[in-house]
Amino acid sequence: MNTNTNSTVFLKDKKSYNKKKSYIRRLWGDVARDRYLYAMLIPVVAYYAIFKYAPMYGVTIAFKNFRFADGILGSSWVGFANFQRMLRSSEFLLILKNNLLLNLYTLVFQFPAPIILAILLNEIRNKYFKKTTQSLLYIPHFISWVALGSIIMGILSPSTGSINFLLVKLFKIEPIYFMTSTFWWPIVFVLSSIWKSAGWGTIIYLAAITGINPELYEAAHIDGAGRFKCILNITIPCIRGTIAVLLILNMGHFLELGFEHIYSLQNASVRSVADVIATYVYRVGLQGMQYSYTSAIGLFQSLVGLILVLLTNFIVKKMGEGGIW
Amino acid sequence: MVKGAKPIMAFKKNATIGSKMFDIFNYLLITLITLATVFPLINFLSLSLSSSRAISSGEVFILPVEVNFGAYINLIKDGTLVKALKNSVVVAGCGTALNMVATILGAYPLSKKRLRGRGILLGLITFTMMFGGGLIPTFILIKQLNLIDSYWSLWLLGLISTYNMLVLKSFFEQLPPDLEESAAIDGFNDFSILVRIILPISMPAIATITLFYLVSHWNSYFNVMMYISDSNKQTVMTRLMQMIDKLKTSLLDSSELQIEMAAPESVKAAAVVFSTLPILCVYPFLQRYFVKGVMIGAIKS
């Protein structure tokens, strides 16, 4: 009896051993078969390890007092001191407020712009008119913020700008100092981001609209629905999924206002509304060499972005859309 | 877009007054938006060709007034922007070549569902789109790698755009598998399959992504400012920013400086045109491809 059970146990062991062995052998076989593919991935993995994941490790300096002489490992730990300093600093609270306000304006005004533009473009019947306008609307996307920034400052200049010349001629008013006024600056900021991105942004929405089943429109037409009703009840509901995905992706960059965009329009007189996390980290962190403190701010920004992505994804899913995972 | 045109044709047959009104309004609105988009660009082009007198008296709107090439001649004589332009060609050219090699090497293996460990790798790669170390740790890394003042800092930091790589991966995934299978039977290895079979049929996607990388290198300002301080290695965008910064204060201030300002205004406009035109020249040639390419990415993701 005893030997019998022993031998079955042994047999079982051997079976699972064989199974394991064959799994390893299969794995090895697969890896050997795909050796060229793995070889191709070597530089890619190295890139992500060195330039993406190493800085994530480097973010530990947010909890340290970093000095170049000591290196990342050698610098002493300070716990949450940098974060406490951040939350107590009135300067940080001001840039956070600026950042959030500009984000909010961007979300409310810039995000819907390509959607509306795409819907309007889709209603254009003349193929050549449509193609020409589209090509022209894409152009600002290919121009750098440095160039766009100087164009904006140029045409809005109170002394030589065309916009001010026009305003003065038409309405007989004094020239407006758009770029140095804390009222006008955020408006110029948002309009400029619409200018650069709305045309290009239509591509994705137009692709989504193309995918709508034309029978829906035909049926609606037979039922006597007008163009405007069709847009409201067919086009918009059908691209809701695309809108949701882009919204989630947008939220991931919520606190990131493009540094180049802000920097190219910023000047000393509007700092009270135009100084944001990115410019602050650059000025205080790199120029002022307060590496650990500004790393803490950077980490705060990244974490907020991550949480917002997860949260938006969750809400969008609850609302019955696909989400991104 | 072809499919989208169909339902609208249904309306065309017996257009109601409401539908016609909608059309008129829509055409007008789109025309207006397009003009507003292009006006500042045309205005600047004209400024760069106009005389100082015309600019300061506010005569230049759409067409140049008292045409002259003085501003351009000044720029070429000065030489710094021309030199920066040459540097930019090197940075963008080599950078884009490296980008494409790395992106293809990443996208092709990851498009193979049979690859062991693919899920984990994709997860780790996608995560970097949502979370990163941030500016300061990246700066410290570049400094410790001794890449400050070397173009390698620009090339390596942006070697792969995760978004572009994932778009290319989706493109590879939807190619018919039969081609590769028959090539594998003929004894081709994965690398020669990629080079001889996959790449030649993927040109629209490759062209699109090449354009994206090229534009982002050409227009990049922040990284160059961060990592390149040698004035001999300046690119066209950092040089442009420098020229503008010098004029910034004078342009924003009161109108007392009007007369002195007019000349710099046309030089500045010329500098903007000079640094933007090269990339805009590439655009029409690749436009056919990139609309297709973006759509592939859009539908897939």
Side-chain angles (χ1 to χ4, degrees), chain A:
Chain A
M1 275 304 266
N2 214 355
T3 47
N4 205 0
T5 43
N6 261 350
S7 65
T8 50
V9 166
F10 175 72
L11 273 176
K12 249 186 195 165
D13 262 8
K14 202 173 175 189
K15 244 184 199 165
S16 71
Y17 173 75
N18 276 341
K19 230 180 179 175
K20 210 172 186 179
K21 202 175 161 193
S22 72
Y23 173 76
I24 291 171
R25 194 174 284 165
R26 264 209 328 272
L27 179 71
W28 180 241
D30 285 353
V31 171
R33 179 198 60 203
D34 291 335
R35 60 191 180 280
Y36 286 99
L37 297 181
Y38 287 107
M40 288 181 212
L41 280 173
I42 291 171
V44 179
V45 171
Y47 167 73
Y48 277 95
I50 298 171
F51 291 98
K52 297 282 178 181
Y53 280 90
M56 283 190 213
Y57 162 73
V59 103
T60 51
I61 66 165
F63 304 95
K64 289 184 168 192
N65 182 16
F66 176 77
R67 293 188 316 176
F68 263 108
D70 299 336
I72 293 176
L73 277 174
S75 301
S76 54
W77 292 95
V78 293
F80 285 91
N82 288 316
F83 291 90
Q84 281 166 354
R85 179 179 157 201
M86 175 180 100
L87 292 174
R88 268 197 235 113
S89 149
S90 59
E91 213 180 359
F92 173 74
L93 294 178
L94 176 72
I95 60 156
L96 185 63
K97 191 190 102 187
N98 289 343
N99 209 117
L100 286 172
L101 274 177
L102 290 179
N103 284 132
L104 194 70
Y105 301 148
T106 311
L107 190 67
V108 173
F109 297 105
Q110 190 211 323
F111 184 75
I115 305 174
I116 297 165
L117 197 56
I119 291 170
L120 292 179
L121 276 171
N122 185 57
E123 299 292 328
I124 297 277
R125 288 179 202 148
N126 187 317
K127 228 171 73 187
Y128 299 102
F129 181 82
K130 192 168 166 181
K131 255 197 171 152
T132 316
T133 47
Q134 273 178 302
S135 305
L136 292 174
L137 288 170
Y138 297 157
I139 291 176
H141 175 81
F142 290 92
I143 303 179
S144 71
W145 273 122
V146 178
L148 289 181
S150 47
I151 291 175
I152 291 164
M153 286 196 295
I155 62 165
L156 294 179
S157 154
S159 51
T160 56
S162 308
I163 300 288
N164 265 315
F165 278 128
L166 267 181
L167 290 176
V168 170
K169 245 184 219 165
L170 290 177
F171 303 109
K172 311 269 175 251
I173 50 167
E174 286 289 293
I176 299 171
Y177 289 71
F178 288 102
M179 299 310 292
T180 50
S181 135
T182 52
F183 170 78
W184 285 105
W185 195 90
I187 296 175
V188 173
F189 176 81
V190 174
L191 281 178
S192 64
S193 66
I194 293 176
W195 182 35
K196 182 163 161 108
S197 65
W200 185 252
T202 58
I203 294 181
I204 278 179
Y205 292 109
L206 280 170
I209 293 173
T210 310
I212 298 173
N213 185 352
E215 283 169 20
L216 288 175
Y217 290 99
E218 277 153 27
H221 183 58
I222 291 163
D223 289 346
R227 303 264 295 268
F228 198 66
K229 267 202 169 146
C230 281
I231 291 175
L232 274 185
N233 298 323
I234 299 172
T235 313
I236 293 177
C238 284
I239 59 171
R240 249 172 47 190
T242 311
I243 297 175
V245 169
L246 286 172
L247 186 67
I248 298 168
L249 293 176
N250 239 337
M251 292 314 267
H253 303 284
F254 189 70
L255 279 187
E256 284 168 34
L257 288 163
F259 176 91
E260 295 183 5
H261 184 190
I262 302 259
Y263 194 72
S264 64
L265 296 175
Q266 215 183 33
N267 56 72
S269 21
V270 288
R271 194 164 269 173
S272 63
V273 294
D275 204 12
V276 297
I277 294 178
T279 48
Y280 183 75
V281 167
Y282 173 71
R283 202 177 64 244
V284 175
L286 284 178
Q287 295 180 328
M289 295 203 279
Q290 303 197 36
Y291 299 115
S292 283
Y293 172 51
T294 44
S295 287
I297 296 178
L299 180 59
F300 169 80
Q301 182 185 12
S302 302
L303 282 177
V304 171
L306 187 61
I307 291 167
L308 280 173
V309 172
L310 298 176
L311 201 70
T312 323
N313 193 50
F314 176 77
I315 294 170
V316 162
K317 270 190 168 170
K318 277 269 146 121
M319 283 165 64
E321 298 297 336
I324 51 173
W325 64 82

Side-chain angles (χ1 to χ4, degrees), chain B residues 117-162:
Chain B
R118 173 179 180 266
I120 301 167
L121 279 176
L122 277 177
L124 285 171
I125 286 170
T126 316
F127 181 68
T128 63
M129 288 176 94
M130 290 179 282
F131 187 80
L135 175 66
I136 304 287
T138 310
F139 173 77
I140 293 170
L141 176 76
I142 293 293
K143 198 156 179 181
Q144 287 183 338
L145 290 174
N146 249 331
L147 292 177
I148 299 279
D149 264 346
S150 154
Y151 286 150
W152 283 103
S153 62
L154 309 176
W155 294 332
L156 290 178
L157 255 189
L159 186 65
I160 294 174
S161 140
T162 304

Side-chain angles (χ1 to χ4, degrees), chain B residues 157-173:
Chain B
L157 255 189
L159 186 65
I160 294 174
S161 140
T162 304
Y163 180 81
N164 286 348
M165 189 171 80
L166 293 181
V167 167
L168 194 60
K169 178 195 112 254
S170 318
F171 183 86
F172 286 151
E173 270 169 7

Side-chain angles (χ1 to χ4, degrees), chain B residues 1-46:
Chain B
M1 256 172 263
V2 182
K3 269 183 205 160
K6 259 186 191 166
I8 297 162
M9 295 307 266
F11 289 104
K12 208 175 178 179
K13 282 175 205 154
N14 42 3
T16 58
I17 295 169
S19 174
K20 268 182 191 161
M21 290 282 282
F22 180 94
D23 264 339
I24 294 169
F25 171 76
N26 193 19
Y27 273 90
L28 273 177
L29 194 64
I30 295 278
T31 310
L32 218 68
I33 293 172
T34 311
L35 288 180
T37 303
V38 198
F39 168 72
L41 309 176
I42 294 175
N43 182 245
F44 242 59
L45 186 62
S46 303

Side-chain angles (χ1 to χ4, degrees), chain A residues 35-36 40, chain B residues 108 183-184 186-195:
Chain A
R35 60 191 180 280
Y36 286 99
M40 288 181 212
Chain B
Y108 183 65
D186 288 347
F188 282 19
N189 65 41
D190 284 313
F191 187 73
S192 38
I193 291 176
L194 171 64
V195 174

Side-chain angles (χ1 to χ4, degrees), chain B residues 257-274:
Chain B
L257 293 158
Q258 218 173 42
I259 299 138
E260 294 164 50
M261 258 184 291
E265 189 66 21
S266 68
V267 174
K268 193 179 84 172
V272 168
V273 174
F274 207 80

